[in-house]
Amino acid sequence: MRVLRCIAAVALLLAAAGAVFVYSGVYDVSATDQHLFPTYWTIRATMERSVAVRARRVEVPPLDDVRVRRGVGLYREHCLRCHGAPGVAPEPFALGMTPVPENLAYVAKTWSAAEVYWTVRNGLKMTAMPAWQYRLGDDAMWDVVAFVKQLPSLSPEEYEAMRELGPPERERQPGAGDARRGRQAIQQYACVTCHAIPGVVGSQAPVGPSLARIATRGFIAGVLPNSAENMELWLIAPQDVKPGTAMPDLDMSPHDAKDIAAYLATLN
Ligand code: HEC
Ligand code: HEC
């Protein structure tokens, strides 16, 4: 009994200390304030271990020369501005990030292809590293990885001279929508910056209508009868369905639209 009371007292004290820490505003969130070394080490080690453990399940396809040449174009389009390349600095805005995007020549040497792929696919929470699985198809992500693995052996002239092959077609997913994946995709299209959506953390913004009980509504945005196909249509191209609406086109893939529509259909 004494021990239990002791534990409860300690827990209460910790919670109180936590509350004081949060509400006093002592913690400096500015990107110019460097981490203490122990903080930096802990964050970095947590990230590296998290990636290493999850990447064990990834199967690596052959990373041939075609992939490398398709990858360089994708890299220039999507990664260069933050990570730079041989002889090319990241863009100025990227230099202002904390943590600052790594130079991938070293990462490519020390990380396995599976680890690079996992990171590209899923992104890194609490850093500016985006998840690319909603922007690039699986083949395209492997193309980027194939190119990244070449970085340590490329001189600035060789990099400059590399010619690009066009990107592969985005693969289409047949079958029914996956509501669980759809809920995750909602985070990835910034829906929460405009809509309150039940079941999605962080969504309170009333820029657009709340999506609570959207499945029970007769019409989508007041113009389209509410069906699964019409919801996909709306998500892919709201500006075509209702020209001038405040909901922007989000460059959504048909696959993601199907999954998100499946999740919205559960909100009844
Ligand atoms: C908006 C900026 C931004 C873009 C665009 C971006 N990254 Fe990143 N990336 C980051 C940041 C920030 C980190 C985290 C750095 C850290 O952990 O210290 C990171 C981390 C990584 C890592 C883990 C390596 C490490 O040591 O942190 C890899 C691999 C990576 N990015 C690859 C890519 C690839 C490939 C692309 C293009 C498909 C890409 N990134 C696009 C900002 C970006
Ligand atoms: C920039 C803000 C913004 C973003 C981002 C946004 N929406 Fe919207 N959305 C709106 C606005 C505004 C409307 C109302 C449009 C109208 O009625 O003309 C709307 C309407 C809708 C509707 C119809 C609601 C109704 O009451 O009929 C659905 C469903 C919807 N959005 C889903 C989404 C999903 C899912 C995402 C993410 C993939 C998303 N929206 C991203 C602003 C946004």
Side-chain angles (χ1 to χ4, degrees):
M1 207 56 208
R2 277 266 286 288
V3 178
L4 275 182
R5 235 180 274 153
C6 248
I7 291 174
V10 169
L12 222 82
L13 228 82
L14 283 177
V20 168
F21 178 74
V22 170
Y23 281 98
S24 64
V26 282
Y27 186 74
D28 187 351
V29 296
S30 63
T32 52
D33 184 53
Q34 40 167 350
H35 287 303
L36 297 174
F37 183 75
T39 317
Y40 171 79
W41 186 90
T42 308
I43 296 174
R44 181 83 204 169
T46 306
M47 184 271 275
E48 288 187 352
R49 286 301 302 150
S50 175
V51 171
V53 167
R54 283 164 181 77
R56 280 188 205 141
R57 274 172 261 143
V58 172
E59 269 182 54
V60 183
L63 302 178
D64 53 27
D65 201 48
V66 173
R67 281 207 187 276
V68 174
R69 290 212 292 140
R70 285 200 307 234
V72 65
L74 291 164
Y75 186 90
R76 283 174 177 145
E77 187 180 348
H78 300 296
C79 319
L80 181 64
R81 65 190 98 139
C82 283
H83 288 286
V88 186
E91 285 184 26
F93 80 93
L95 303 176
M97 292 173 181
T98 297
V100 69
E102 299 282 322
N103 185 303
L104 295 182
Y106 181 65
V107 175
K109 228 183 206 164
T110 49
W111 285 28
S112 69
E115 288 167 340
V116 175
Y117 170 83
W118 189 92
T119 309
V120 169
R121 179 177 177 80
N122 297 292
L124 297 172
K125 202 185 270 180
M126 290 195 279
T127 81
M129 174 63 185
W132 291 93
Q133 60 180 305
Y134 300 97
R135 267 45 77 176
L136 298 172
D138 206 48
D139 257 330
M141 289 189 286
W142 278 115
D143 295 343
V144 172
V145 173
F147 170 72
V148 166
K149 289 299 280 180
Q150 298 302 310
L151 279 170
S153 62
L154 281 180
S155 71
E157 299 81 59
E158 284 167 335
Y159 167 72
E160 186 61 40
M162 275 181 96
R163 284 190 304 120
E164 304 168 7
L165 279 182
E169 289 283 307
R170 275 185 89 150
E171 67 267 42
R172 300 195 62 158
Q173 229 77 12
D178 175 344
R180 198 188 53 80
R181 191 180 172 282
R183 179 167 151 202
Q184 195 170 20
I186 281 176
Q187 288 283 5
Q188 287 293 321
Y189 284 98
C191 315
V192 296
T193 59
C194 295
H195 293 287
I197 309 173
V200 182
V201 176
S203 57
Q204 253 124 63
V207 179
S210 161
L211 300 187
R213 296 169 52 78
I214 181 76
T216 64
R217 222 138 344 136
F219 288 87
I220 301 167
V223 292
L224 268 186
N226 193 358
S227 69
E229 298 87 72
N230 281 346
M231 185 57 87
E232 289 168 39
L233 214 67
W234 170 255
L235 294 173
I236 290 170
Q239 294 292 331
D240 290 349
V241 173
K242 190 176 177 185
T245 176
M247 168 132 162
D249 285 351
L250 292 158
D251 195 22
M252 188 181 292
S253 70
H255 178 193
D256 294 338
K258 193 180 274 185
D259 292 343
I260 292 178
Y263 179 69
L264 296 180
T266 67
L267 302 179
N268 53 28

